[in-house]
């Protein structure tokens, strides 16, 4: 095989792959050779300092402003037969490489192949088709009412693509308890972790794993089997479990007509009043239930319904006596038309 054929194969291989170092090398070679050819043709006006870089860029991209151009016959031939054809090839290669990179990045994001770098985000683990879509819609609506807008990440094992591209982040993993997989979803830096899988055993193991990786995150897990709730909370008391309450709601509505609609209204963020929570800041003072109840209604048109001491939902007190004192760090639960983002705590303690 002749040296020319070998060189041709090597060049085709490198340029077909269009690697970045190939493009940089080709650009450097193009710039140096163009400079020396123009220098040899006595085109000194084209090769002075920044003018050369400017002229080469506009010529290679065929913009051609015309403010600088070759004046010698040799220079014109060099530009027509070398600078423009080779410049167009390199320019097309750069544009093609950028387009391929953008396409690959978008495809990887759509398939959940990217590794994320996020903090204080909301991580949803599991895929339940339409139920998960509803969950994501509600999370987005709740987030829009918050002063800060945390990122939302959906982490699944199911063979799907991102159901909301451009709206949420998406990560596809092989296992919910493997470090290298879950690190791609930034499980250790999430603020809130919602776990909802079709299989309760997967939900259980995922909750145990997430508690180990991120013990400070607020975790919520959904179970179809109520017996698993106490089992998980024995090992992970900070995890908030939400078992199915369909049977309880059916019985309640039978004896207290309208109960199901009331609960639906309190859970919905689209219709009427809804239930929210807020934590008493550490900088605030202790406040009695009596003052809180009256001033919350008077100043924010909201109804206080209960509290969790130090944020411990397992110790939640609903409808506490008026003489009970609430302290900084307690989580309050209230009913209002919308979430209250700016509370003047000192005004709630006023007579």
């Amino acid at each position: 095989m002749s040296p020319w054929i070998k060189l041709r194969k090597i060049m085709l291989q490198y340029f077909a792959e269009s690697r970045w170092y190939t493009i940089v090398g080709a650009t450097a070679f193009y710039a140096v050779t163009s400079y020396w050819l123009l220098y040899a043709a006595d085109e000194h006006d084209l090769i002075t300092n920044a003018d050369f870089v400017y002229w080469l860029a506009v010529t290679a991209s065929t913009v051609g402003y015309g403010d600088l151009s070759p004046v010698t016959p040799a220079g014109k031939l060099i530009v027509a037969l070398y600078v423009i054809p080779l410049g167009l090839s390199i320019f097309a290669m750069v544009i093609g490489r950028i387009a391929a990179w953008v396409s690959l990045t978008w495809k990887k994001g759509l398939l959940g192949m990217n590794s994320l770098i996020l903090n204080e985000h909301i991580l949803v683990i599991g895929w339940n088709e339409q139920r998960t879509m509803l969950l994501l819609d509600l999370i987005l609506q709740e987030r829009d009412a918050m002063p800060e807008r945390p990122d939302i990440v959906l982490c699944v094992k199911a063979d799907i693509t991102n159901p909301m591209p451009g709206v949420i982040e998406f990560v596809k993993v092989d296992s919910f308890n493997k470090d290298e997989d879950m690190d791609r979803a930034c499980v250790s830096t999430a603020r809130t972790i919602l776990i909802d899988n079709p299989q309760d055993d997967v939900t259980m193991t995922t909750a145990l794993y997430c508690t180990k990786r991120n013990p400070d995150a607020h975790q919520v897990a959904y179970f179809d089997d109520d017996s698993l709730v106490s089992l998980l909370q024995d090992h992970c008391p900070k995890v908030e479990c939400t078992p199915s309450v369909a049977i309880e709601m059916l019985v309640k509505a039978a004896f207290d007509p309208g109960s199901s609609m009331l609960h639906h209204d309190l859970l919905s963020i689209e219709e009427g009043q809804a239930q929210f929570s807020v934590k008493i800041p550490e900088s605030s003072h202790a406040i009695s239930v009596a003052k809180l109840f009256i001033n919350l209604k008077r100043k924010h048109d909201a109804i206080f319904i209960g509290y969790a001491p130090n944020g411990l939902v397992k110790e939640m007190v609903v409808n506490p006596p008026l003489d009970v004192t609430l302290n900084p760090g307690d989580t309050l639960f209230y009913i209002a038309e919308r979430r209250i983002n700016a509370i003047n705590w000192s005004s709630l303690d006023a007579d």
Side-chain angles (χ1 to χ4, degrees):
M1 184 181 296
S2 67
W4 166 248
I5 296 178
K6 290 182 179 180
L7 178 61
R8 180 173 175 271
K9 285 188 174 182
I10 293 174
M11 291 182 64
L12 285 175
Q13 177 184 354
Y14 277 97
F15 282 95
E17 294 175 354
S18 294
R19 296 176 179 175
W20 285 114
Y21 62 80
T22 304
I23 296 174
V24 172
T27 303
F29 174 81
Y30 168 67
V32 171
T33 54
S34 296
Y35 181 92
W36 283 110
L37 287 172
L38 292 171
Y39 176 83
D42 292 327
E43 293 288 352
H44 299 294
D45 290 339
L46 297 181
I47 58 175
T48 56
N49 301 325
D51 284 345
F52 172 69
V53 177
Y54 160 76
W55 173 83
L56 193 65
V58 298
T59 302
S61 60
T62 69
V63 174
Y65 291 123
D67 50 350
L68 292 173
S69 59
V71 294
T72 66
K76 293 178 181 179
L77 288 174
I78 291 169
V79 172
L81 301 178
Y82 183 81
V83 176
I84 292 178
L86 188 57
L88 277 175
S89 301
I90 295 176
F91 184 74
M93 185 166 55
V94 172
I95 296 300
R97 189 69 178 86
I98 293 174
W101 177 80
V102 171
S103 176
L104 179 61
T105 301
W106 174 257
K107 184 178 179 180
K108 288 176 66 176
L110 196 65
L111 296 177
M113 299 168 59
N114 286 332
S115 295
L116 306 178
I117 303 177
L118 296 173
N119 288 290
E120 297 295 311
H121 54 289
I122 300 174
L123 177 59
V124 179
I125 302 178
W127 177 249
N128 268 300
E129 299 181 351
Q130 291 304 314
R131 191 168 77 183
T132 303
M133 291 300 297
L134 177 59
L135 172 64
L136 293 172
D137 283 333
L138 294 175
I139 291 175
L140 288 168
Q141 292 181 50
E142 284 277 12
R143 187 191 68 170
D144 291 342
M146 300 173 65
E148 70 278 6
R149 294 169 58 86
D151 293 299
I152 299 171
V153 179
L154 174 63
C155 180
V156 306
K157 292 195 298 182
D159 188 18
I160 63 171
T161 58
N162 189 341
M164 295 182 174
V167 179
I168 65 171
E169 302 291 346
F170 179 68
V171 175
K172 187 176 183 298
V173 299
D174 294 325
S175 172
F176 291 140
N177 52 19
K178 186 184 296 183
D179 288 349
E180 52 266 37
D181 280 351
M182 298 306 291
D183 283 344
R184 293 173 47 228
C186 304
V187 65
S188 61
T189 58
R191 173 201 298 181
T192 303
I193 301 176
L194 306 179
I195 307 171
D196 182 16
N197 285 284
Q199 300 84 21
D200 282 349
D201 57 340
V202 177
T203 299
M204 174 70 75
T205 56
T206 303
L208 292 171
Y209 172 81
C210 291
T211 299
K212 178 183 177 182
R213 291 295 311 278
N214 191 348
D216 297 325
H218 175 213
Q219 274 196 69
V220 182
Y222 177 86
F223 289 100
D224 288 316
D225 185 354
D226 296 355
S227 64
L228 296 176
V229 173
S230 58
L231 179 61
L232 176 60
Q233 290 187 330
D234 286 342
H235 295 84
C236 308
K238 294 178 65 175
V239 177
E240 184 175 350
C241 300
T242 58
S244 174
V245 294
I247 299 300
E248 290 85 346
M249 285 299 305
L250 186 65
V251 174
K252 191 66 178 173
F255 286 90
D256 297 293
S259 293
S260 61
M261 296 303 299
L262 173 63
H263 283 82
H264 172 76
D265 189 74
L266 292 178
L267 292 175
S268 173
I269 59 176
E270 296 180 335
E271 303 176 7
Q273 304 293 317
Q275 176 263 309
F276 304 98
S277 67
V278 64
K279 186 176 182 179
I280 302 179
E282 297 295 336
S283 59
S284 182
H285 300 290
I287 182 174
S288 68
V289 169
K291 290 183 178 180
L292 176 67
F293 189 91
I294 296 299
N295 289 324
L296 197 63
K297 181 63 178 177
R298 179 182 298 159
K299 299 180 182 298
H300 298 285
D301 195 22
I303 301 175
F304 170 72
I305 55 177
Y307 75 102
N310 293 316
L312 300 176
V313 294
K314 291 184 65 175
E315 301 178 13
M316 183 182 301
V317 181
V318 179
N319 192 25
L322 293 176
D323 58 354
V324 169
T325 299
L326 306 179
N327 300 297
D330 292 347
T331 298
L332 311 182
F333 296 86
Y334 62 92
I335 300 171
E337 185 175 355
R338 60 181 61 87
R339 186 182 299 277
I340 306 172
N341 291 319
I343 297 179
N344 187 342
W345 294 98
S346 59
S347 68
L348 296 183
D349 194 30
D351 294 327

